């Protein structure tokens, strides 16, 4: 098994800006720990943020957010990408949709995606769907994903587990598993 960590929509607009999610704050320390440890062990880190154009379908639903080239579309400073990480851009919910994520994972020999970031029931869910359709094993640390409400988060996790067979874990347990595999 070779895994990669996919960090979805931890963009400034989603954490502090126009689509601010208060609950995102609580996962930052966990994500930071996971990313730093994984990076040290050589697990690929792949950031995929919204990078919208004004004509995108989503504008009608959510208004302008995480627009291409804007400060708000950048990964928050706390977990900013470093040299050797990968940064892709998306224009819909799924991190797979026309982003080059699938060929990147294949080039890296990855068969397991660790999905993190925002939101459990929206972009994480749609990314999980596409991962499932492409045959990837899916792991979701429940304390490294969040949603606008507790209900959305819990139901989101339940759906990931039931429909895509995602393994729901937490950062602590996941790091132990990764350590075992990569040591
Ligand atoms: Zn969006």
């Amino acid at each position: 098994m070779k895994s990669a960590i996919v960090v979805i929509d931890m963009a400034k607009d989603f954490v502090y800006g126009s689509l601010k999610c208060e609950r995102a704050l609580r996962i930052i320390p966990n994500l930071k720990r996971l990313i730093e440890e994984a990076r040290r062990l050589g697990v690929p880190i792949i950031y995929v943020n919204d990078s919208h154009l004004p004509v995108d379908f989503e504008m009608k639903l959510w208004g302008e957010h995480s627009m291409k080239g804007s400060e708000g579309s950048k990964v928050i400073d706390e977990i900013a990408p470093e040299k050797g990480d990968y940064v892709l851009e998306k224009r819909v919910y799924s991190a797979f949709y026309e982003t080059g994520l699938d060929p990147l994972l294949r080039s890296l020999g990855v068969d397991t995606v660790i999905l993190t970031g925002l939101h459990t029931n929206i972009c994480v869910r749609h990314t999980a769907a596409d991962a499932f359709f492409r045959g990837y094993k899916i792991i979701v640390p429940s304390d490294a994903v969040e949603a606008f409400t507790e209900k959305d988060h819990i139901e989101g996790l339940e759906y990931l587990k039931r429909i895509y067979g995602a393994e729901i874990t937490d950062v602590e347990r996941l790091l132990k598993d990764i350590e075992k595999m990569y040591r």
Side-chain angles (χ1 to χ4, degrees):
M1 176 177 120
K2 177 151 192 228
S3 54
I5 295 180
V6 183
V7 186
I8 302 164
D9 280 337
M10 287 303 286
K12 294 180 181 178
D13 268 356
F14 283 103
V15 181
Y16 302 114
S18 57
L19 271 184
K20 181 179 155 94
C21 168
E22 289 282 350
R23 296 173 60 89
L25 299 177
R26 68 175 77 188
I27 63 170
I28 296 173
N30 305 333
L31 252 179
K32 189 173 160 64
R33 182 164 166 238
L34 175 62
I35 290 168
E36 283 172 359
E37 283 290 297
R39 202 182 267 140
R40 190 176 59 78
L41 292 164
V43 180
I45 316 290
I46 306 169
Y47 295 87
V48 193
N49 278 359
D50 267 356
S51 181
H52 282 301
L53 299 179
V55 291
D56 288 352
F57 309 124
E58 266 182 44
M59 297 300 102
K60 285 195 191 84
L61 278 170
W62 302 97
E64 289 208 347
H65 63 276
S66 203
M67 305 303 287
K68 186 175 177 65
S70 71
E71 188 61 25
S73 71
K74 290 189 185 141
V75 175
I76 56 168
D77 295 335
E78 295 90 325
I79 53 165
E82 291 187 3
K83 192 167 175 281
D85 296 341
Y86 301 90
V87 180
L88 303 177
E89 296 180 348
K90 66 184 182 70
R91 286 176 57 203
V92 294
Y93 300 144
S94 171
F96 277 92
Y97 192 78
E98 295 178 359
T99 60
L101 177 58
D102 190 40
L104 172 60
L105 293 171
R106 294 194 190 279
S107 306
L108 294 168
V110 167
D111 57 18
T112 301
V113 288
I114 297 166
L115 303 183
T116 68
L118 302 170
H119 301 87
T120 320
N121 62 325
I122 312 174
C123 292
V124 174
R125 170 169 162 171
H126 285 84
T127 301
D130 277 337
F132 181 75
F133 301 152
R134 288 163 178 77
Y136 293 98
K137 181 178 181 329
I138 302 162
I139 298 176
V140 180
S142 60
D143 54 351
V145 290
E146 259 305 346
F148 285 112
T149 68
E150 173 88 19
K151 186 170 178 281
D152 287 347
H153 177 63
I154 301 292
E155 286 177 0
L157 288 174
E158 189 52 42
Y159 191 95
L160 294 172
K161 189 174 155 190
R162 194 157 48 91
I163 307 302
Y164 308 126
E167 179 188 331
I168 309 296
T169 182
D170 58 49
V171 167
E172 184 74 37
R173 264 195 293 160
L174 179 58
L175 279 174
K176 281 197 189 119
D177 291 344
I178 292 176
E179 197 112 19
K180 253 183 261 161
M181 271 183 292
Y182 282 79
R183 197 166 38 204

